[in-house]
Amino acid sequence: MESATKRRKLSASSGGRANVPGFAQWNLEQDYETRRRKDGKKKKAEDNRLPVKSQESGQWEQDRSRPVDDEEDNDSFLASDDEETKDNEASKDVLPPPKPRKPRLPPKEEIRQAKEDLARIAGQIGEDPEEHIGLLGSLAEIGDSPNISVKKLALGAQLAVFKDIVPGYRIRPIAPDDANAKISKDVRKLRAFEQGLLRGYQSYVQLLSRLCKKKKYQDEKDASLTTVATSCVCNLVINLPHFNYRNDLIRVVVQKLASRNVDADFLQCQNALETLFQNDEEGHTSLEAVSQLTKMMKAKDYNIVENVLNTFLHLRLLGEFAHKASTQRIDKEESNIVQPKQKKAFRTKRERKLQRERKEVEKEMKEADAVVSYEERDRNQAETLKLVFIAYFRILKARTPHLMGAVLEGLAKYAHLINQDFFGDVLEALKDLIGDTYAAVQEDAEGEAATDDEARNATRELLLCIITAFALLQGQHDVAKSASSLHLDLNFFITHLYRTLLPLSLNQDIELGAKTTTHLVDPNGLDVPSTTLTPNKVNVATTSVLLLRSLHSVLLPPTGTKLVSPVRVAAFTKQLLTSTLHVPRKSCAAILALLQQMTKVHASKVAALWHTEERKGDGVFYAESGEVESSNPFAATVWEGELLRLHFDPKVREAVVGIEKGIVERAA
């Protein structure tokens, strides 16, 4: 029998798998065989019961009466899974117990603790905003306290923090594509700060919007919280108009101005809007605010307070915008001169590349320095002007009584910006309005007006109509050509101004304005009644100043003094000298100063009033005539000067002497 072949042991030097250390002692098959199976099937429990002898067969059998011990099944992996599933299902039905509430501190102690926490958190954010921007949520949580004082402190603290850390630019939300882009560590840190600031600021603005909504039934504590929230909104509108969520803040201010109740919150929002208009350089914010205001006015059918319209008088386009506009279009000056084409200079490829790079650098520098683009500003102001004119002309067409004074004042201010094509419609509307107001003035002169306040407003509206009509013409560049080409007939306004002089001189409130609504106390203790029951609503100067502006437009027009007829000059001079005997001393001195200026220009036309030998007319002077030409002014004599020489005010006496000297020197 041949001996069995001896198995050769693989050495380490051989090229087989024995190169692995200890491979000879590692039996892979045996290890796999002895590995525990995890097939998910339940093993039968091993029957360890002792056999017993059966009484029936007499053989030894396993005892089936005693159950098999299933401890192994209970300890198996599958059994534990089943138990865990049952426990989880049972836990879903049972809610976790609520967290115990912290016991509230006494109110004074709660306020003291809130002050400390707010100061500590605000200090950390102000010290390093990029590192502690997440603490904005802690400031908001302190404001959730039921204590009203703590809420007010939290609102004020958040306002101070945002005013301190908000950058001077708008933050752009991150697009989904940019969120996954690879960026540096510094950029990632800055982006996290900006997005955290934006989320905190948005939550703060939404909270202020909710608190500013005044409920119908509100106690004093809630009303005080609303006042604080309104103050915070106004501060943000004034100090952070460039930042995000500007429209939301302006919407809150406009909603407050929509109320008919002029309270402290209303006045605060009005002042904030006026300050915003005055400080806006680019015009974006003003355009948004005016757009929301006009929409609110139209929605309320112009049933608003007059102060809302007066905010338009604070727009910067009054002094910066130079084009003409209407409700439809904007007239921009276009040069008719065709510029010759300039020969393009030759540049090498390197020079063109340097020029492009230089332009890009200049563009970046302008953006960094926040240089205002004049073209963009003009475009924004033009759109704003169109919205303002739309609001004015709609109110003028609807004849809203309590808004006519403010509309006329606005048209008088913006008359130099109105398009010539719109002159006819505006003048027709002004003529219709004068017809209504003149009837009220006549009733007031006869003592038949319903209330003195309505008569006074009618008089002021009449003067504003006249000022607006003359301002339309004076606002054009070439006044003489505009008057001839448009065929404007302003005699209607001149006639009504002449009719108003004598009734207006008897108005004892002629020097009362928006700030002064009461007369001085009589030194003899006599009662001085006032016809002004409420403060003046129109945001203009006194009635005396309006009268002087109207007279200056009629007697000293920029179209040239030669166009003023001698009859008109003489009639107005006689009526004004008669009026000076009844008006207060300040108005008397102002009228005489205007006459002194007029006599320097029209001395030859009115010299006959001072010299009876040079009288050009016969008959009698009709002082109560409604027409200038039919009053026969050259039949009168200026006898009022002798009484004015005895006036108690030295300025009045000096003005009368100056007028007479001027007449003598220039007429000779």
Side-chain angles (χ1 to χ4, degrees):
M1 182 175 178
E2 192 174 351
S3 61
T5 304
K6 187 176 180 181
R7 292 186 177 183
R8 186 170 57 89
K9 185 177 179 181
L10 296 175
S11 63
S13 60
S14 63
R17 297 173 61 183
N19 291 331
V20 182
F23 186 79
Q25 291 81 20
W26 185 14
N27 194 339
L28 295 177
E29 297 178 353
Q30 185 65 24
D31 181 74
Y32 180 80
E33 182 66 23
T34 58
R35 189 179 301 171
R36 186 177 178 179
R37 304 292 190 272
K38 296 181 181 180
D39 52 358
K41 296 181 180 180
K42 293 181 66 175
K43 287 184 177 181
K44 285 188 176 182
E46 187 177 356
D47 194 357
N48 296 326
R49 293 173 295 180
L50 295 175
V52 295
K53 190 175 182 179
S54 174
Q55 296 178 359
E56 299 177 356
S57 60
Q59 296 180 359
W60 294 88
E61 297 178 357
Q62 293 289 342
D63 189 3
R64 305 292 181 182
S65 61
R66 186 170 59 89
V68 180
D69 189 8
D70 54 353
E71 289 182 358
E72 292 184 2
D73 292 340
N74 294 335
D75 293 340
S76 66
F77 178 77
L78 294 176
S80 62
D81 285 347
D82 294 340
E83 292 178 359
E84 288 179 1
T85 305
K86 293 178 181 179
D87 293 341
N88 292 335
E89 292 177 355
S91 63
K92 291 180 181 178
D93 299 334
V94 181
L95 296 176
K99 295 181 180 180
R101 294 183 177 181
K102 296 181 180 180
R104 286 194 60 186
L105 299 173
K108 291 185 178 180
E109 182 65 21
E110 189 175 2
I111 294 173
R112 186 193 63 80
Q113 184 67 30
K115 288 181 179 179
E116 293 180 356
D117 294 342
L118 290 172
R120 175 177 52 81
I121 296 174
Q124 292 178 356
I125 298 176
E127 183 179 356
D128 192 355
E130 295 185 359
E131 185 69 24
H132 302 98
I133 194 63
L135 294 179
L136 291 176
S138 302
L139 285 178
E141 290 178 359
I142 296 176
D144 295 336
S145 173
N147 194 327
I148 299 296
S149 300
V150 175
K151 288 184 177 180
K152 294 178 184 178
L153 291 172
L155 292 177
Q158 292 180 79
L159 173 65
V161 168
F162 283 120
K163 287 171 60 178
D164 189 28
I165 67 175
V166 164
Y169 55 89
R170 293 175 66 90
I171 296 177
R172 180 178 60 88
I174 298 179
D177 298 338
D178 298 338
N180 301 326
K182 293 183 179 180
I183 53 178
S184 62
K185 184 178 179 181
D186 295 337
V187 175
R188 186 181 297 108
K189 184 178 180 181
L190 178 61
R191 182 175 291 179
F193 162 73
E194 291 179 346
Q195 298 306 314
L197 173 62
L198 199 59
R199 288 191 297 269
Y201 190 74
Q202 182 183 16
S203 302
Y204 182 59
V205 171
Q206 292 175 353
L207 175 62
L208 293 178
S209 301
R210 291 194 302 269
L211 294 177
C212 287
K213 293 181 180 179
K214 188 174 290 186
K215 301 177 182 178
K216 189 173 183 181
Y217 301 101
Q218 200 175 37
D219 55 4
E220 294 182 359
K221 292 184 178 179
D222 293 339
S224 63
L225 184 61
T226 301
T227 301
V228 173
T230 305
S231 178
C232 293
V233 169
C234 294
N235 270 278
L236 292 177
V237 168
I238 294 174
N239 296 289
L240 303 176
H242 63 279
F243 199 57
N244 300 60
Y245 308 107
R246 175 177 59 197
N247 286 335
D248 298 336
L249 297 173
I250 294 177
R251 189 178 298 110
V252 175
V253 174
V254 171
Q255 289 174 356
K256 286 288 183 181
L257 294 178
S259 173
R260 295 281 298 173
N261 183 22
V262 182
D263 52 2
D265 295 347
F266 181 95
L267 296 177
Q268 196 170 15
C269 292
Q270 178 188 350
N271 295 332
L273 207 57
E274 292 175 355
T275 306
L276 178 68
F277 288 158
Q278 293 172 354
N279 299 334
D280 186 21
E281 295 183 357
E282 297 182 358
H284 292 290
T285 311
S286 299
L287 179 59
E288 294 175 3
V290 172
S291 177
Q292 294 193 25
L293 276 176
T294 52
K295 289 180 181 178
M296 180 270 293
M297 295 176 189
K298 186 177 180 182
K300 293 183 68 66
D301 198 15
Y302 300 99
N303 188 19
I304 57 173
V305 182
E306 206 171 21
N307 296 356
V308 180
L309 277 178
N310 290 335
T311 56
F312 290 161
L313 302 177
H314 297 269
L315 290 168
R316 294 187 62 152
L317 56 90
L318 275 174
E320 294 179 351
F321 194 65
H323 304 299
K324 308 295 179 184
S326 65
T327 58
Q328 303 292 334
R329 61 190 178 87
I330 304 296
D331 292 341
K332 294 188 177 180
E333 299 175 358
E334 297 181 358
S335 178
N336 297 326
I337 301 175
V338 179
Q339 297 291 340
K341 292 184 179 180
Q342 296 181 357
K343 188 176 180 180
K344 193 174 181 180
F346 174 77
R347 293 186 180 90
T348 61
K349 186 176 181 180
R350 179 179 179 84
E351 290 176 349
R352 291 196 299 270
K353 183 179 179 181
L354 291 175
Q355 187 180 13
R356 286 196 300 268
E357 293 177 354
R358 193 179 299 110
K359 288 182 178 180
E360 292 178 359
V361 172
E362 291 177 357
K363 183 179 179 181
E364 293 177 358
M365 292 296 293
K366 286 183 179 180
E367 293 177 356
D369 295 339
V371 177
V372 179
S373 174
Y374 293 102
E375 295 180 357
E376 187 176 4
R377 186 191 65 181
D378 287 348
R379 184 167 57 252
N380 293 330
Q381 290 183 349
E383 295 298 325
T384 304
L385 186 61
K386 285 168 58 177
L387 294 175
V388 171
F389 282 160
I390 289 174
Y392 281 160
F393 295 143
R394 282 178 178 173
I395 297 173
L396 195 63
K397 186 177 180 181
R399 300 286 180 85
T400 308
H402 66 284
L403 297 179
M404 295 309 299
V407 170
L408 292 172
E409 173 65 13
L411 287 176
K413 290 281 188 180
Y414 292 104
H416 64 286
L417 301 176
I418 297 179
N419 193 334
Q420 291 185 2
D421 299 338
F422 220 66
F423 280 7
D425 298 336
V426 176
L427 291 179
E428 288 298 327
L430 293 177
K431 287 180 180 179
D432 295 340
L433 184 60
I434 284 180
D436 297 338
T437 55
Y438 183 70
V441 173
Q442 289 297 108
E443 291 178 358
D444 179 59
E446 297 173 3
E448 298 178 0
T451 58
D452 294 331
D453 186 51
E454 292 178 0
R456 167 140 183 227
N457 287 338
T459 304
R460 296 172 67 86
E461 290 175 11
L462 176 63
L463 296 175
L464 285 170
C465 288
I466 297 171
I467 293 172
T468 305
F470 281 92
L472 288 175
L473 184 61
Q474 294 174 9
Q476 306 306 310
H477 296 296
D478 195 343
V479 181
K481 290 183 179 180
S482 301
S484 59
S485 61
L486 296 174
H487 304 287
L488 298 178
D489 184 14
L490 302 179
N491 291 328
F492 177 83
F493 302 97
I494 296 172
T495 301
H496 281 81
L497 177 61
Y498 180 76
R499 294 176 183 176
T500 314
L501 290 178
L502 290 180
L504 195 59
S505 65
L506 302 177
N507 187 359
Q508 59 184 354
D509 295 334
I510 191 173
E511 291 186 353
L512 296 186
K515 297 182 180 179
T516 307
T517 58
T518 57
H519 295 281
L520 296 176
V521 180
D522 189 85
N524 299 324
L526 299 177
D527 183 25
V528 182
S530 177
T531 59
T532 306
L533 302 179
T534 57
N536 180 25
K537 296 179 181 179
V538 184
N539 186 19
V540 293
T542 62
T543 309
S544 178
V545 173
L546 290 178
L547 176 61
L548 293 172
R549 288 173 59 186
S550 304
L551 293 171
H552 194 278
S553 300
V554 173
L555 300 176
L556 299 171
T559 55
T561 56
K562 295 181 180 180
L563 299 178
V564 184
S565 63
V567 177
R568 182 193 302 177
V569 177
F572 272 94
T573 302
K574 175 61 180 176
Q575 290 286 60
L576 288 175
L577 285 172
T578 305
S579 300
T580 53
L581 300 177
H582 307 286
V583 296
R585 63 180 184 87
K586 291 183 179 180
S587 300
C588 180
I591 293 175
L592 291 176
L594 176 65
L595 289 175
Q596 189 174 3
Q597 184 180 1
M598 186 194 67
T599 52
K600 293 180 180 179
V601 181
H602 303 291
S604 58
K605 297 179 181 179
V606 296
L609 297 178
W610 275 266
H611 304 287
T612 57
E613 293 81 4
E614 298 180 4
R615 182 178 299 177
K616 298 180 181 180
D618 295 330
V620 182
F621 170 63
Y622 299 100
E624 298 181 357
S625 176
E627 301 293 335
V628 178
E629 289 76 10
S630 61
S631 61
N632 196 14
F634 289 107
T637 304
V638 180
W639 51 267
E640 293 86 358
E642 299 301 323
L643 295 179
L644 293 174
R645 285 176 179 269
L646 305 176
H647 201 277
F648 67 92
D649 191 351
K651 293 183 179 179
V652 174
R653 298 196 297 266
E654 293 175 2
V656 172
V657 174
I659 291 174
E660 294 180 353
K661 285 184 178 180
I663 290 292
V664 173
E665 293 175 359
R666 289 174 176 81

